[in-house]
Amino acid sequence: MSSNSRRRPTHRKGRATLTRESVGTAALDFLGRHGPGELTMRSLAAELGVSPRALYNYVEDRRDLITVAAEIFESRWTPAALDPSRWRDDLRAFCRDLRAHYRRHPGMTTLALSENVTPARHPAMLRNVDALIGVFVRIGLPLRDAYRACMETIRMVAGFVEFQDAPHDRPPAGLDAADLHASPPPWLTVPDGEDLPHLRRIGELDPESPDTLFEFSLDVLIDGIAAQVR
Amino acid sequence: MSSNSRRRPTHRKGRATLTRESVGTAALDFLGRHGPGELTMRSLAAELGVSPRALYNYVEDRRDLITVAAEIFESRWTPAALDPSRWRDDLRAFCRDLRAHYRRHPGMTTLALSENVTPARHPAMLRNVDALIGVFVRIGLPLRDAYRACMETIRMVAGFVEFQDAPHDRPPAGLDAADLHASPPPWLTVPDGEDLPHLRRIGELDPESPDTLFEFSLDVLIDGIAAQVR
DNA sequence: ACCTGAACACCGTTCAAGT
DNA sequence: ACCTGAACACCGTTCAAGT
């Protein structure tokens, strides 16, 4: 009784009371605005208007903070349903949406990885994964292959965002915009004296947007998965 | 004349003279033995038997150090030639070899990414990329698709190593070995009260090795690329 | 119960000085 | 030319003390 009726105060000294979840949400939203390297206990505390020490009342340490942020990140992913009868189109839309989701917090995956945070802790994530596996089963994949295809799908999208979109969306300081939107990227410019005929010809093509590159990756993924159905 | 005949000493105080390349090599090899988070200017200097300040005579800063390490990493990748007439088998072997190469220095890609180091700086890397594009052209892909397929191939392998192999090969402290080699991983264990039929059945299958999972990814990739040939 | 401020052991980087 | 050692501004984390 008393433990239920006596509620935690919702405010303290003019600002909202911190909770484990509010701290994690703040960390996640911080990642939407700044690079992962800028997320420190001190900078987050400053943004919340408390001392760094205060955060340790809600998370165990920096690794735990990132764990909470990753969980909230997963809970915010609400994909559309997948209809097995038109799975190709639906899977394409599903992946486009997942890409947009990852892209909202660039570096989240890499950060969790570098901090040894294991993903898929949130029930919503498990439900989404289960549904994706279900579609692959329905189109005729054996259960094990359906699981593999699910992992491959998520890994492809996450890899595309981390390796392709993240550097594109948050250019490293000291590179001008023209270089960044070029395709092939400047690092594929052929050095003098090298005989690299294909790269040379690609350099002469119109630059390509990440979006059309992503569509090609989707073509490969979807056709590749379809080929596993026997 | 004199600037050529007067060579740099190869040793100093009993240890080999440092160079930009030897420092980068040391950093790369350090990544083969320790996690990326352990690679600091101070720890690397200690391993080389010099003061941290000494490294700054050869690299500009930590980011530059990682740039050099990444270049040497690329120069060490010596893939076998690809024969267009049996491109499926050759591409499979090519990717297995590339995976092994990445795996020798887990975290190299993620580290370069988090430090905003742009990849593909070494001429050897450019030659390998050009050759891979060449095979895709020879099997009938338009040049632009050949370039896309090349990027997709490398990104798939890099993503697999960083997201799948790296956590597997270097388990986070505090997880026992049994959990790690399970498939599905422990984070896909179905919580009580949740109705996730497919995940539940997958949990009952025999655990799967990363190697067979990688072969499935290769099946999807190769069949998917083949489907783009018209 | 939850906070602050000082402190500790790290880190990257720079300065001044040695040889 | 290349090094060392001290120093500075950071970081994560902990301690002791406040309210």
PDB file of all heavy atoms in Angstrom, chain A residues 32-66:
ATOM      1  N   GLY A  32      21.496  11.554 -32.048  1.00  0.00           N
ATOM      2  CA  GLY A  32      20.872  12.068 -33.260  1.00  0.00           C
ATOM      3  C   GLY A  32      21.412  13.436 -33.647  1.00  0.00           C
ATOM      4  O   GLY A  32      21.273  13.857 -34.790  1.00  0.00           O
ATOM      5  N   ARG A  33      22.005  14.121 -32.677  1.00  0.00           N
ATOM      6  CA  ARG A  33      22.480  15.483 -32.935  1.00  0.00           C
ATOM      7  C   ARG A  33      23.996  15.598 -33.016  1.00  0.00           C
ATOM      8  O   ARG A  33      24.515  16.497 -33.662  1.00  0.00           O
ATOM      9  CB  ARG A  33      21.979  16.433 -31.826  1.00  0.00           C
ATOM     10  CG  ARG A  33      20.468  16.591 -31.773  1.00  0.00           C
ATOM     11  CD  ARG A  33      20.078  17.694 -30.791  1.00  0.00           C
ATOM     12  NE  ARG A  33      20.655  17.483 -29.465  1.00  0.00           N
ATOM     13  CZ  ARG A  33      20.140  16.717 -28.527  1.00  0.00           C
ATOM     14  NH1 ARG A  33      19.009  16.066 -28.753  1.00  0.00           N
ATOM     15  NH2 ARG A  33      20.732  16.567 -27.373  1.00  0.00           N
ATOM     16  N   HIS A  34      24.717  14.684 -32.346  1.00  0.00           N
ATOM     17  CA  HIS A  34      26.168  14.762 -32.317  1.00  0.00           C
ATOM     18  C   HIS A  34      26.767  13.402 -32.666  1.00  0.00           C
ATOM     19  O   HIS A  34      26.102  12.379 -32.600  1.00  0.00           O
ATOM     20  CB  HIS A  34      26.675  15.201 -30.933  1.00  0.00           C
ATOM     21  CG  HIS A  34      26.045  16.445 -30.420  1.00  0.00           C
ATOM     22  ND1 HIS A  34      24.926  16.447 -29.610  1.00  0.00           N
ATOM     23  CD2 HIS A  34      26.360  17.750 -30.610  1.00  0.00           C
ATOM     24  CE1 HIS A  34      24.590  17.695 -29.319  1.00  0.00           C
ATOM     25  NE2 HIS A  34      25.441  18.511 -29.915  1.00  0.00           N
ATOM     26  N   GLY A  35      28.043  13.414 -32.993  1.00  0.00           N
ATOM     27  CA  GLY A  35      28.754  12.181 -33.258  1.00  0.00           C
ATOM     28  C   GLY A  35      28.927  11.360 -31.991  1.00  0.00           C
ATOM     29  O   GLY A  35      28.899  11.905 -30.884  1.00  0.00           O
ATOM     30  N   PRO A  36      29.088  10.055 -32.147  1.00  0.00           N
ATOM     31  CA  PRO A  36      29.189   9.156 -30.993  1.00  0.00           C
ATOM     32  C   PRO A  36      30.368   9.505 -30.086  1.00  0.00           C
ATOM     33  O   PRO A  36      30.285   9.303 -28.870  1.00  0.00           O
ATOM     34  CB  PRO A  36      29.389   7.776 -31.616  1.00  0.00           C
ATOM     35  CG  PRO A  36      29.400   7.949 -33.085  1.00  0.00           C
ATOM     36  CD  PRO A  36      29.178   9.361 -33.439  1.00  0.00           C
ATOM     37  N   GLY A  37      31.434  10.041 -30.651  1.00  0.00           N
ATOM     38  CA  GLY A  37      32.583  10.389 -29.827  1.00  0.00           C
ATOM     39  C   GLY A  37      32.303  11.522 -28.865  1.00  0.00           C
ATOM     40  O   GLY A  37      32.987  11.699 -27.858  1.00  0.00           O
ATOM     41  N   GLU A  38      31.272  12.312 -29.173  1.00  0.00           N
ATOM     42  CA  GLU A  38      30.964  13.456 -28.315  1.00  0.00           C
ATOM     43  C   GLU A  38      30.071  13.076 -27.137  1.00  0.00           C
ATOM     44  O   GLU A  38      29.889  13.876 -26.218  1.00  0.00           O
ATOM     45  CB  GLU A  38      30.274  14.555 -29.140  1.00  0.00           C
ATOM     46  CG  GLU A  38      31.175  15.163 -30.207  1.00  0.00           C
ATOM     47  CD  GLU A  38      30.394  16.065 -31.159  1.00  0.00           C
ATOM     48  OE1 GLU A  38      29.771  17.034 -30.701  1.00  0.00           O
ATOM     49  OE2 GLU A  38      30.385  15.772 -32.386  1.00  0.00           O
ATOM     50  N   LEU A  39      29.522  11.860 -27.199  1.00  0.00           N
ATOM     51  CA  LEU A  39      28.664  11.415 -26.094  1.00  0.00           C
ATOM     52  C   LEU A  39      29.533  10.958 -24.928  1.00  0.00           C
ATOM     53  O   LEU A  39      30.076   9.861 -24.923  1.00  0.00           O
ATOM     54  CB  LEU A  39      27.755  10.264 -26.550  1.00  0.00           C
ATOM     55  CG  LEU A  39      26.927   9.600 -25.455  1.00  0.00           C
ATOM     56  CD1 LEU A  39      25.981  10.594 -24.790  1.00  0.00           C
ATOM     57  CD2 LEU A  39      26.142   8.414 -25.995  1.00  0.00           C
ATOM     58  N   THR A  40      29.683  11.844 -23.939  1.00  0.00           N
ATOM     59  CA  THR A  40      30.436  11.492 -22.738  1.00  0.00           C
ATOM     60  C   THR A  40      29.520  11.660 -21.531  1.00  0.00           C
ATOM     61  O   THR A  40      28.492  12.340 -21.605  1.00  0.00           O
ATOM     62  CB  THR A  40      31.669  12.397 -22.559  1.00  0.00           C
ATOM     63  OG1 THR A  40      31.227  13.733 -22.296  1.00  0.00           O
ATOM     64  CG2 THR A  40      32.533  12.376 -23.813  1.00  0.00           C
ATOM     65  N   MET A  41      29.897  11.048 -20.438  1.00  0.00           N
ATOM     66  CA  MET A  41      29.111  11.195 -19.220  1.00  0.00           C
ATOM     67  C   MET A  41      28.995  12.673 -18.850  1.00  0.00           C
ATOM     68  O   MET A  41      27.942  13.142 -18.421  1.00  0.00           O
ATOM     69  CB  MET A  41      29.782  10.423 -18.072  1.00  0.00           C
ATOM     70  CG  MET A  41      29.971   8.937 -18.323  1.00  0.00           C
ATOM     71  SD  MET A  41      28.419   8.045 -18.558  1.00  0.00           S
ATOM     72  CE  MET A  41      27.868   7.802 -16.876  1.00  0.00           C
ATOM     73  N   ARG A  42      30.075  13.384 -19.063  1.00  0.00           N
ATOM     74  CA  ARG A  42      30.099  14.789 -18.684  1.00  0.00           C
ATOM     75  C   ARG A  42      29.232  15.651 -19.599  1.00  0.00           C
ATOM     76  O   ARG A  42      28.499  16.531 -19.134  1.00  0.00           O
ATOM     77  CB  ARG A  42      31.539  15.292 -18.677  1.00  0.00           C
ATOM     78  CG  ARG A  42      32.380  14.640 -17.589  1.00  0.00           C
ATOM     79  CD  ARG A  42      33.847  15.008 -17.726  1.00  0.00           C
ATOM     80  NE  ARG A  42      34.397  15.603 -16.503  1.00  0.00           N
ATOM     81  CZ  ARG A  42      35.083  14.932 -15.598  1.00  0.00           C
ATOM     82  NH1 ARG A  42      35.322  13.644 -15.747  1.00  0.00           N
ATOM     83  NH2 ARG A  42      35.537  15.533 -14.517  1.00  0.00           N
ATOM     84  N   SER A  43      29.309  15.389 -20.927  1.00  0.00           N
ATOM     85  CA  SER A  43      28.530  16.227 -21.837  1.00  0.00           C
ATOM     86  C   SER A  43      27.037  15.950 -21.685  1.00  0.00           C
ATOM     87  O   SER A  43      26.218  16.852 -21.752  1.00  0.00           O
ATOM     88  CB  SER A  43      28.974  15.989 -23.285  1.00  0.00           C
ATOM     89  OG  SER A  43      28.706  14.655 -23.675  1.00  0.00           O
ATOM     90  N   LEU A  44      26.708  14.666 -21.463  1.00  0.00           N
ATOM     91  CA  LEU A  44      25.299  14.337 -21.275  1.00  0.00           C
ATOM     92  C   LEU A  44      24.771  14.943 -19.981  1.00  0.00           C
ATOM     93  O   LEU A  44      23.653  15.484 -19.937  1.00  0.00           O
ATOM     94  CB  LEU A  44      25.109  12.816 -21.272  1.00  0.00           C
ATOM     95  CG  LEU A  44      23.662  12.357 -21.225  1.00  0.00           C
ATOM     96  CD1 LEU A  44      22.919  12.775 -22.477  1.00  0.00           C
ATOM     97  CD2 LEU A  44      23.572  10.847 -21.031  1.00  0.00           C
ATOM     98  N   ALA A  45      25.569  14.870 -18.933  1.00  0.00           N
ATOM     99  CA  ALA A  45      25.171  15.456 -17.654  1.00  0.00           C
ATOM    100  C   ALA A  45      24.947  16.958 -17.806  1.00  0.00           C
ATOM    101  O   ALA A  45      23.952  17.507 -17.314  1.00  0.00           O
ATOM    102  CB  ALA A  45      26.236  15.181 -16.597  1.00  0.00           C
ATOM    103  N   ALA A  46      25.859  17.608 -18.510  1.00  0.00           N
ATOM    104  CA  ALA A  46      25.725  19.053 -18.721  1.00  0.00           C
ATOM    105  C   ALA A  46      24.420  19.366 -19.440  1.00  0.00           C
ATOM    106  O   ALA A  46      23.719  20.311 -19.098  1.00  0.00           O
ATOM    107  CB  ALA A  46      26.919  19.567 -19.524  1.00  0.00           C
ATOM    108  N   GLU A  47      24.098  18.534 -20.438  1.00  0.00           N
ATOM    109  CA  GLU A  47      22.874  18.777 -21.185  1.00  0.00           C
ATOM    110  C   GLU A  47      21.636  18.581 -20.312  1.00  0.00           C
ATOM    111  O   GLU A  47      20.599  19.219 -20.525  1.00  0.00           O
ATOM    112  CB  GLU A  47      22.815  17.849 -22.403  1.00  0.00           C
ATOM    113  CG  GLU A  47      21.946  18.397 -23.508  1.00  0.00           C
ATOM    114  CD  GLU A  47      22.051  17.570 -24.777  1.00  0.00           C
ATOM    115  OE1 GLU A  47      21.633  16.405 -24.770  1.00  0.00           O
ATOM    116  OE2 GLU A  47      22.546  18.097 -25.769  1.00  0.00           O
ATOM    117  N   LEU A  48      21.742  17.684 -19.352  1.00  0.00           N
ATOM    118  CA  LEU A  48      20.620  17.419 -18.455  1.00  0.00           C
ATOM    119  C   LEU A  48      20.618  18.374 -17.249  1.00  0.00           C
ATOM    120  O   LEU A  48      19.702  18.324 -16.431  1.00  0.00           O
ATOM    121  CB  LEU A  48      20.657  15.963 -17.979  1.00  0.00           C
ATOM    122  CG  LEU A  48      20.345  14.912 -19.051  1.00  0.00           C
ATOM    123  CD1 LEU A  48      20.681  13.513 -18.550  1.00  0.00           C
ATOM    124  CD2 LEU A  48      18.875  14.994 -19.461  1.00  0.00           C
ATOM    125  N   GLY A  49      21.637  19.170 -17.138  1.00  0.00           N
ATOM    126  CA  GLY A  49      21.697  20.136 -16.049  1.00  0.00           C
ATOM    127  C   GLY A  49      22.031  19.532 -14.704  1.00  0.00           C
ATOM    128  O   GLY A  49      21.606  20.043 -13.659  1.00  0.00           O
ATOM    129  N   VAL A  50      22.780  18.439 -14.711  1.00  0.00           N
ATOM    130  CA  VAL A  50      23.194  17.826 -13.442  1.00  0.00           C
ATOM    131  C   VAL A  50      24.703  17.584 -13.472  1.00  0.00           C
ATOM    132  O   VAL A  50      25.354  17.765 -14.501  1.00  0.00           O
ATOM    133  CB  VAL A  50      22.481  16.476 -13.206  1.00  0.00           C
ATOM    134  CG1 VAL A  50      20.990  16.692 -13.006  1.00  0.00           C
ATOM    135  CG2 VAL A  50      22.741  15.523 -14.364  1.00  0.00           C
ATOM    136  N   SER A  51      25.231  17.178 -12.346  1.00  0.00           N
ATOM    137  CA  SER A  51      26.653  16.851 -12.317  1.00  0.00           C
ATOM    138  C   SER A  51      26.855  15.451 -12.875  1.00  0.00           C
ATOM    139  O   SER A  51      25.943  14.626 -12.844  1.00  0.00           O
ATOM    140  CB  SER A  51      27.175  16.910 -10.890  1.00  0.00           C
ATOM    141  OG  SER A  51      26.770  15.765 -10.174  1.00  0.00           O
ATOM    142  N   PRO A  52      28.048  15.172 -13.406  1.00  0.00           N
ATOM    143  CA  PRO A  52      28.305  13.844 -13.990  1.00  0.00           C
ATOM    144  C   PRO A  52      27.978  12.718 -13.004  1.00  0.00           C
ATOM    145  O   PRO A  52      27.429  11.684 -13.393  1.00  0.00           O
ATOM    146  CB  PRO A  52      29.808  13.893 -14.292  1.00  0.00           C
ATOM    147  CG  PRO A  52      30.125  15.327 -14.459  1.00  0.00           C
ATOM    148  CD  PRO A  52      29.197  16.075 -13.557  1.00  0.00           C
ATOM    149  N   ARG A  53      28.294  12.960 -11.767  1.00  0.00           N
ATOM    150  CA  ARG A  53      28.049  11.935 -10.745  1.00  0.00           C
ATOM    151  C   ARG A  53      26.585  11.523 -10.678  1.00  0.00           C
ATOM    152  O   ARG A  53      26.270  10.361 -10.381  1.00  0.00           O
ATOM    153  CB  ARG A  53      28.519  12.459  -9.385  1.00  0.00           C
ATOM    154  CG  ARG A  53      28.185  11.592  -8.195  1.00  0.00           C
ATOM    155  CD  ARG A  53      28.863  10.244  -8.302  1.00  0.00           C
ATOM    156  NE  ARG A  53      28.518   9.395  -7.169  1.00  0.00           N
ATOM    157  CZ  ARG A  53      27.490   8.573  -7.147  1.00  0.00           C
ATOM    158  NH1 ARG A  53      26.662   8.547  -8.187  1.00  0.00           N
ATOM    159  NH2 ARG A  53      27.264   7.800  -6.110  1.00  0.00           N
ATOM    160  N   ALA A  54      25.676  12.433 -10.943  1.00  0.00           N
ATOM    161  CA  ALA A  54      24.244  12.155 -10.804  1.00  0.00           C
ATOM    162  C   ALA A  54      23.796  11.028 -11.727  1.00  0.00           C
ATOM    163  O   ALA A  54      22.910  10.245 -11.378  1.00  0.00           O
ATOM    164  CB  ALA A  54      23.432  13.413 -11.092  1.00  0.00           C
ATOM    165  N   LEU A  55      24.422  10.922 -12.906  1.00  0.00           N
ATOM    166  CA  LEU A  55      24.013   9.875 -13.856  1.00  0.00           C
ATOM    167  C   LEU A  55      24.210   8.476 -13.266  1.00  0.00           C
ATOM    168  O   LEU A  55      23.473   7.544 -13.590  1.00  0.00           O
ATOM    169  CB  LEU A  55      24.809  10.010 -15.158  1.00  0.00           C
ATOM    170  CG  LEU A  55      24.680  11.333 -15.906  1.00  0.00           C
ATOM    171  CD1 LEU A  55      25.494  11.295 -17.186  1.00  0.00           C
ATOM    172  CD2 LEU A  55      23.217  11.633 -16.212  1.00  0.00           C
ATOM    173  N   TYR A  56      25.206   8.361 -12.414  1.00  0.00           N
ATOM    174  CA  TYR A  56      25.525   7.041 -11.865  1.00  0.00           C
ATOM    175  C   TYR A  56      24.473   6.550 -10.873  1.00  0.00           C
ATOM    176  O   TYR A  56      24.542   5.427 -10.402  1.00  0.00           O
ATOM    177  CB  TYR A  56      26.913   7.059 -11.208  1.00  0.00           C
ATOM    178  CG  TYR A  56      28.030   7.151 -12.226  1.00  0.00           C
ATOM    179  CD1 TYR A  56      28.489   8.376 -12.692  1.00  0.00           C
ATOM    180  CD2 TYR A  56      28.608   5.997 -12.742  1.00  0.00           C
ATOM    181  CE1 TYR A  56      29.499   8.458 -13.630  1.00  0.00           C
ATOM    182  CE2 TYR A  56      29.624   6.067 -13.676  1.00  0.00           C
ATOM    183  CZ  TYR A  56      30.071   7.299 -14.119  1.00  0.00           C
ATOM    184  OH  TYR A  56      31.062   7.379 -15.060  1.00  0.00           O
ATOM    185  N   ASN A  57      23.517   7.388 -10.562  1.00  0.00           N
ATOM    186  CA  ASN A  57      22.391   6.914  -9.765  1.00  0.00           C
ATOM    187  C   ASN A  57      21.376   6.149 -10.605  1.00  0.00           C
ATOM    188  O   ASN A  57      20.495   5.488 -10.056  1.00  0.00           O
ATOM    189  CB  ASN A  57      21.704   8.112  -9.091  1.00  0.00           C
ATOM    190  CG  ASN A  57      22.590   8.765  -8.060  1.00  0.00           C
ATOM    191  OD1 ASN A  57      23.286   8.092  -7.299  1.00  0.00           O
ATOM    192  ND2 ASN A  57      22.585  10.094  -8.040  1.00  0.00           N
ATOM    193  N   TYR A  58      21.516   6.220 -11.932  1.00  0.00           N
ATOM    194  CA  TYR A  58      20.508   5.598 -12.805  1.00  0.00           C
ATOM    195  C   TYR A  58      21.096   4.568 -13.761  1.00  0.00           C
ATOM    196  O   TYR A  58      20.399   3.656 -14.203  1.00  0.00           O
ATOM    197  CB  TYR A  58      19.776   6.690 -13.592  1.00  0.00           C
ATOM    198  CG  TYR A  58      19.180   7.721 -12.659  1.00  0.00           C
ATOM    199  CD1 TYR A  58      19.838   8.910 -12.387  1.00  0.00           C
ATOM    200  CD2 TYR A  58      17.996   7.452 -11.989  1.00  0.00           C
ATOM    201  CE1 TYR A  58      19.314   9.833 -11.503  1.00  0.00           C
ATOM    202  CE2 TYR A  58      17.465   8.363 -11.101  1.00  0.00           C
ATOM    203  CZ  TYR A  58      18.125   9.547 -10.863  1.00  0.00           C
ATOM    204  OH  TYR A  58      17.603  10.439  -9.974  1.00  0.00           O
ATOM    205  N   VAL A  59      22.362   4.736 -14.113  1.00  0.00           N
ATOM    206  CA  VAL A  59      23.046   3.722 -14.917  1.00  0.00           C
ATOM    207  C   VAL A  59      24.336   3.341 -14.213  1.00  0.00           C
ATOM    208  O   VAL A  59      24.917   4.151 -13.477  1.00  0.00           O
ATOM    209  CB  VAL A  59      23.353   4.229 -16.341  1.00  0.00           C
ATOM    210  CG1 VAL A  59      22.068   4.463 -17.122  1.00  0.00           C
ATOM    211  CG2 VAL A  59      24.203   5.488 -16.295  1.00  0.00           C
ATOM    212  N   GLU A  60      24.763   2.105 -14.465  1.00  0.00           N
ATOM    213  CA  GLU A  60      25.945   1.613 -13.754  1.00  0.00           C
ATOM    214  C   GLU A  60      27.213   2.308 -14.235  1.00  0.00           C
ATOM    215  O   GLU A  60      28.079   2.664 -13.424  1.00  0.00           O
ATOM    216  CB  GLU A  60      26.082   0.104 -13.941  1.00  0.00           C
ATOM    217  CG  GLU A  60      25.050  -0.693 -13.152  1.00  0.00           C
ATOM    218  CD  GLU A  60      25.284  -2.185 -13.301  1.00  0.00           C
ATOM    219  OE1 GLU A  60      26.420  -2.582 -13.607  1.00  0.00           O
ATOM    220  OE2 GLU A  60      24.323  -2.949 -13.111  1.00  0.00           O
ATOM    221  N   ASP A  61      27.326   2.438 -15.513  1.00  0.00           N
ATOM    222  CA  ASP A  61      28.502   3.080 -16.094  1.00  0.00           C
ATOM    223  C   ASP A  61      28.190   3.453 -17.536  1.00  0.00           C
ATOM    224  O   ASP A  61      27.048   3.325 -17.986  1.00  0.00           O
ATOM    225  CB  ASP A  61      29.731   2.155 -16.012  1.00  0.00           C
ATOM    226  CG  ASP A  61      29.416   0.763 -16.529  1.00  0.00           C
ATOM    227  OD1 ASP A  61      28.454   0.627 -17.319  1.00  0.00           O
ATOM    228  OD2 ASP A  61      30.099  -0.204 -16.158  1.00  0.00           O
ATOM    229  N   ARG A  62      29.207   3.886 -18.259  1.00  0.00           N
ATOM    230  CA  ARG A  62      29.001   4.327 -19.635  1.00  0.00           C
ATOM    231  C   ARG A  62      28.455   3.197 -20.509  1.00  0.00           C
ATOM    232  O   ARG A  62      27.563   3.402 -21.338  1.00  0.00           O
ATOM    233  CB  ARG A  62      30.331   4.834 -20.204  1.00  0.00           C
ATOM    234  CG  ARG A  62      30.239   5.357 -21.612  1.00  0.00           C
ATOM    235  CD  ARG A  62      31.615   5.836 -22.080  1.00  0.00           C
ATOM    236  NE  ARG A  62      31.808   5.585 -23.500  1.00  0.00           N
ATOM    237  CZ  ARG A  62      31.446   6.405 -24.467  1.00  0.00           C
ATOM    238  NH1 ARG A  62      30.852   7.531 -24.165  1.00  0.00           N
ATOM    239  NH2 ARG A  62      31.650   6.091 -25.731  1.00  0.00           N
ATOM    240  N   ARG A  63      28.982   1.999 -20.315  1.00  0.00           N
ATOM    241  CA  ARG A  63      28.519   0.860 -21.084  1.00  0.00           C
ATOM    242  C   ARG A  63      27.026   0.613 -20.842  1.00  0.00           C
ATOM    243  O   ARG A  63      26.266   0.349 -21.773  1.00  0.00           O
ATOM    244  CB  ARG A  63      29.336  -0.370 -20.691  1.00  0.00           C
ATOM    245  CG  ARG A  63      29.028  -1.616 -21.504  1.00  0.00           C
ATOM    246  CD  ARG A  63      29.921  -2.782 -21.043  1.00  0.00           C
ATOM    247  NE  ARG A  63      29.601  -3.995 -21.783  1.00  0.00           N
ATOM    248  CZ  ARG A  63      28.573  -4.784 -21.498  1.00  0.00           C
ATOM    249  NH1 ARG A  63      27.772  -4.471 -20.486  1.00  0.00           N
ATOM    250  NH2 ARG A  63      28.329  -5.860 -22.214  1.00  0.00           N
ATOM    251  N   ASP A  64      26.621   0.721 -19.593  1.00  0.00           N
ATOM    252  CA  ASP A  64      25.218   0.526 -19.249  1.00  0.00           C
ATOM    253  C   ASP A  64      24.357   1.623 -19.877  1.00  0.00           C
ATOM    254  O   ASP A  64      23.257   1.365 -20.369  1.00  0.00           O
ATOM    255  CB  ASP A  64      25.065   0.513 -17.724  1.00  0.00           C
ATOM    256  CG  ASP A  64      23.685   0.051 -17.282  1.00  0.00           C
ATOM    257  OD1 ASP A  64      23.133  -0.856 -17.933  1.00  0.00           O
ATOM    258  OD2 ASP A  64      23.155   0.606 -16.305  1.00  0.00           O
ATOM    259  N   LEU A  65      24.876   2.839 -19.873  1.00  0.00           N
ATOM    260  CA  LEU A  65      24.156   3.952 -20.513  1.00  0.00           C
ATOM    261  C   LEU A  65      23.875   3.637 -21.973  1.00  0.00           C
ATOM    262  O   LEU A  65      22.760   3.831 -22.472  1.00  0.00           O
ATOM    263  CB  LEU A  65      24.989   5.235 -20.402  1.00  0.00           C
ATOM    264  CG  LEU A  65      24.461   6.455 -21.164  1.00  0.00           C
ATOM    265  CD1 LEU A  65      23.190   6.983 -20.507  1.00  0.00           C
ATOM    266  CD2 LEU A  65      25.515   7.554 -21.245  1.00  0.00           C
ATOM    267  N   ILE A  66      24.886   3.127 -22.672  1.00  0.00           N
ATOM    268  CA  ILE A  66      24.714   2.814 -24.080  1.00  0.00           C
ATOM    269  C   ILE A  66      23.772   1.632 -24.262  1.00  0.00           C
ATOM    270  O   ILE A  66      23.000   1.583 -25.224  1.00  0.00           O
ATOM    271  CB  ILE A  66      26.102   2.571 -24.716  1.00  0.00           C
ATOM    272  CG1 ILE A  66      26.868   3.887 -24.750  1.00  0.00           C
ATOM    273  CG2 ILE A  66      25.982   1.971 -26.094  1.00  0.00           C
ATOM    274  CD1 ILE A  66      28.336   3.749 -24.984  1.00  0.00           C
TER     275      ILE A  66
END
